[in-house]
Amino acid sequence: VQRLVVKIGTSSLIHANGKINLQAIDQLSYTLTGLVNEGKQVILVSSGAIGVGMGQLGLAKRPTKIQEQQALASIGQSELMTVYQQRFAVYGQKISQVLLTHDVLDFPKSKEHVHHTMEQLLKWGVIPVVNENDTVAVDELDHYTKFGDNDQLSAIVATRSNADLLVMLSDIDGFYTKNPNKYADAQLVDVLHEITKDSLKRAGGAGTELGTGGMTTKLKAAQSILDADKMMVLANGVNPSIIFKIMNNEPIGTLFI
Ligand code: ADP
């Protein structure tokens, strides 16, 4: 693996009480910097803007009004980038912010510009931190409320940038035969070669209060990765240094290949 995309979900970045999980962010910064120092090219897709915004304003529940969510994303995104900037700087790693909307990637011209910009950043050894531009992406945000998070975006970024691997970090060890938060007999699936109707059925409903997607959007992301003949690993983001083990080909989480 030479080029990888790492997606981290809201549930891994924010504690249940709404505070930023500094340990996770610090470990993520340390790990991704370590990989860049080994000569890898790394793109980070980070969720969490709305959650961080909620924390800033002391809101316990995600508001239902779109304009409130977008305003929270605007507050949270800059705070989140500030935290990333500080933590990555400790390890001497440069990062950048890339905010995308679906239309940008649908138009050939802007898509090409994004592509060239990303290539330039990677060439310079910078880690682009990608998120959806939530203050403009109305439909996306709406869709977001229903399925949640940047799972699809990370798959698009991974396939468009021709990355060898997408590492998706969540609040769960991997994909299980059924929702492990509901069924005690759920079993971890080590490897999955295709996403069938049956696997989608096992993905069940949404996850946490802060994280919104649940498994469905992750399986859809895995589907696009498999279609592009690339790999995805779904693993627990509680300790992001787990990425070192994944890069060492240790059996971690669920491997989609
Ligand atoms: P993130 O914020 O990291 O994107 P989500 O909370 O949106 O994460 O999604 C992960 C959640 O999906 C898990 O915590 C779990 O409750 C739920 N889930 C539903 N079905 C499954 C399954 N078959 N395997 C694993 N997790 C599942």
Side-chain angles (χ1 to χ4, degrees):
V1 172
Q2 187 49 32
R3 182 177 284 188
L4 73 153
V5 174
V6 174
K7 187 258 167 178
I8 187 152
T10 303
S11 54
S12 309
L13 293 169
I14 298 167
H15 292 296
N17 66 9
K19 299 263 191 229
I20 293 195
N21 186 338
L22 289 173
Q23 196 204 318
I25 292 190
D26 192 39
Q27 214 181 95
L28 184 67
S29 310
Y30 160 86
T31 304
L32 299 188
T33 302
L35 293 175
V36 172
N37 291 349
E38 286 171 17
K40 312 276 183 221
Q41 295 182 315
V42 182
I43 299 170
L44 173 62
V45 177
S46 178
S47 301
I50 294 177
V52 171
M54 284 165 59
Q56 291 272 297
L57 294 196
L59 305 180
K61 259 199 144 21
R62 196 177 172 112
T64 46
K65 268 197 202 160
I66 290 285
Q67 71 194 55
E68 290 177 339
Q69 294 189 21
Q70 296 193 294
L72 285 172
S74 170
I75 296 166
Q77 178 68 23
S78 81
E79 172 68 12
L80 186 62
M81 285 309 292
T82 303
V83 176
Y84 274 130
Q85 197 88 55
Q86 287 169 346
R87 298 325 298 165
F88 274 104
V90 169
Y91 303 108
Q93 177 60 47
K94 299 220 176 351
I95 62 169
S96 75
Q97 172 178 261
V98 176
L99 294 177
L100 295 175
T101 46
H102 270 275
D103 55 322
V104 168
L105 298 175
D106 288 343
F107 286 103
K109 196 91 207 146
S110 46
K111 181 175 128 186
E112 198 184 306
H113 281 297
V114 171
H115 179 71
H116 288 147
T117 305
M118 293 288 257
E119 290 298 323
Q120 186 61 61
L121 289 164
L122 293 172
K123 205 168 135 195
W124 277 335
V126 172
I127 298 178
V129 183
V130 183
N131 192 8
E132 191 152 29
N133 192 351
D134 287 331
T135 41
V136 287
V138 182
D139 286 340
E140 272 39 86
L141 199 73
D142 206 16
H143 165 91
Y144 213 51
T145 353
K146 283 189 249 147
F147 306 103
D149 266 42
N150 283 325
D151 297 334
Q152 317 269 20
L153 179 67
S154 66
I156 292 171
V157 168
T159 50
R160 295 270 157 89
S161 63
N162 204 23
D164 313 295
L165 172 71
L166 169 62
V167 175
M168 200 172 281
L169 298 177
S170 185
D171 62 346
I172 197 103
D173 287 345
F175 176 59
Y176 284 78
T177 49
K178 35 188 143 167
N179 188 345
N181 292 334
K182 283 198 199 140
Y183 303 94
D185 60 340
Q187 288 188 349
L188 183 71
V189 177
D190 300 319
V191 186
L192 207 59
H193 300 293
E194 60 173 339
I195 312 299
T196 59
K197 274 201 186 116
D198 178 62
S199 11
L200 285 167
K201 245 195 266 157
R202 295 168 187 279
T208 52
E209 177 69 28
L210 281 168
T212 37
M215 266 308 122
T216 311
T217 50
K218 291 173 182 53
L219 290 187
K220 287 191 176 151
Q223 180 70 70
S224 340
I225 295 292
L226 290 175
D227 287 346
D229 247 339
K230 304 288 183 193
M231 294 180 286
M232 175 174 132
V233 173
L234 175 65
N236 201 320
V238 67
N239 291 309
S241 62
I242 199 171
I243 300 169
F244 284 132
K245 294 188 180 166
I246 294 170
M247 294 297 281
N248 254 340
N249 297 320
E250 288 177 41
I252 302 286
T254 304
L255 170 65
F256 300 85
I257 190 168

